[in-house]
Amino acid sequence: MAKLPQGSDSRMICVFRGLMHAIACGTCATEPRLLRVLSNGIFECPDGHQLAPQEIDLDGSHVWAVIASGILGCVVDPARAVEALGEAVDDVGSGGKCPDPAYAVRAAFCGGFDAFADVVGVCRAGVA
């Protein structure tokens, strides 16, 4: 089974592509080749290596998606992305209670930006 996003399985690796991790074939020796969905629901790279949906085993904080072009990828779980965005907003509001409020607010904004990017990635991938 493929383990993502750590890429611990020899058949699969993750390649960052925009706001979604494209899942590439790890069997291809020269360069990672993206997996695309076939009409039967199986994923295949250009070299013919195949991956069945039941072989995709994500870490729980990610879900897999197929974008309009047919590329298989993974994004942050939508519930986790929205939760992280809410936590970042809360952190901005509580920044004044820290010894260095300016640093705390900057860190909260950075966390919020990352969470927002995850939410956008989820939306762009069509995952609800």
Side-chain angles (χ1 to χ4, degrees), residues 40 52 77 92:
N40 63 2
D77 182 280
V92 169

Side-chain angles (χ1 to χ4, degrees), residues 18-80:
L19 296 172
M20 180 182 86
H21 290 274
I23 300 174
C25 178
T27 305
C28 295
T30 56
E31 64 181 63
R33 297 184 169 278
L34 299 180
L35 293 160
R36 294 184 183 272
V37 68
L38 300 174
S39 60
N40 63 2
I42 300 293
F43 300 99
E44 185 176 79
C45 77
D47 289 342
H49 303 117
Q50 294 188 346
L51 178 73
Q54 58 269 25
E55 293 180 275
I56 303 169
D57 182 20
L58 303 177
D59 65 7
S61 64
H62 290 78
V63 296
W64 64 272
V66 177
I67 59 174
S69 62
I71 294 174
L72 173 64
C74 64
V75 294
V76 173
D77 182 280
R80 178 64 195 124

